[in-house]
Amino acid sequence: MNDIIAALITASATLFSAFIIGIAGGIISHMYAKERDKQDKESQWRNHAIELTKLDLQRKTLNTKNGKIPRISILDFLANYRDLKELDYKSPKELYSIIKESRTNPTQQEDDH
């Protein structure tokens, strides 16, 4: 009789510990997956910001009258990166409104039209 009770206690303790380990493993793996996704997203933002900066440089080069290549601006890259990060929690329409209202100067807006 004691052997049966000991076996039941051992089996239930084993199942309980497996359950706890499964839950803990799930929580830990979820945290790592979330962090990995965040890093992947930021890597994509950096790559897109680099491509946008290259396109801006090409546009500036085409618009220069003397044919000189303008200086590459780290500020252009940082602005593109900031805007891409903001797309994570703002809609493209909201971001466009913010850029148009507060981040461009009036002469640049007139040149674009």
Side-chain angles (χ1 to χ4, degrees):
M1 182 80 168
N2 286 338
D3 291 338
I4 295 173
I5 293 174
L8 287 175
I9 291 173
T10 304
S12 62
T14 303
L15 290 175
F16 182 72
S17 64
F19 179 73
I20 296 296
I21 289 172
I23 289 175
I27 291 171
I28 291 170
S29 66
H30 176 71
M31 289 188 319
Y32 280 113
K34 188 175 178 181
E35 186 63 30
R36 186 184 65 236
D37 290 344
K38 181 181 173 186
Q39 288 176 354
D40 288 345
K41 189 183 293 185
E42 288 195 12
S43 174
Q44 289 175 356
W45 287 333
R46 280 190 301 272
N47 290 337
H48 290 308
I50 289 169
E51 291 301 317
L52 287 171
T53 305
K54 287 178 184 177
L55 291 172
D56 286 343
L57 180 63
Q58 288 175 356
R59 181 183 54 83
K60 289 177 183 178
T61 303
L62 291 175
N63 289 338
T64 58
K65 293 182 177 40
N66 57 8
K68 290 185 178 178
I69 298 174
R71 195 175 80 189
I72 298 174
S73 173
I74 188 67
L75 296 177
D76 291 339
F77 168 78
L78 293 173
N80 290 331
Y81 183 71
R82 176 201 57 214
D83 293 341
L84 288 168
K85 283 185 77 165
E86 286 184 12
L87 279 176
D88 197 26
Y89 54 91
K90 291 182 182 169
S91 72
K93 183 178 180 181
E94 291 172 329
L95 184 59
Y96 178 76
S97 308
I98 290 170
I99 291 170
K100 190 171 182 181
E101 292 170 6
S102 64
R103 295 187 189 159
T104 56
N105 56 22
T107 57
Q108 186 179 5
Q109 288 178 358
E110 292 171 7
D111 293 341
D112 290 343
H113 295 288

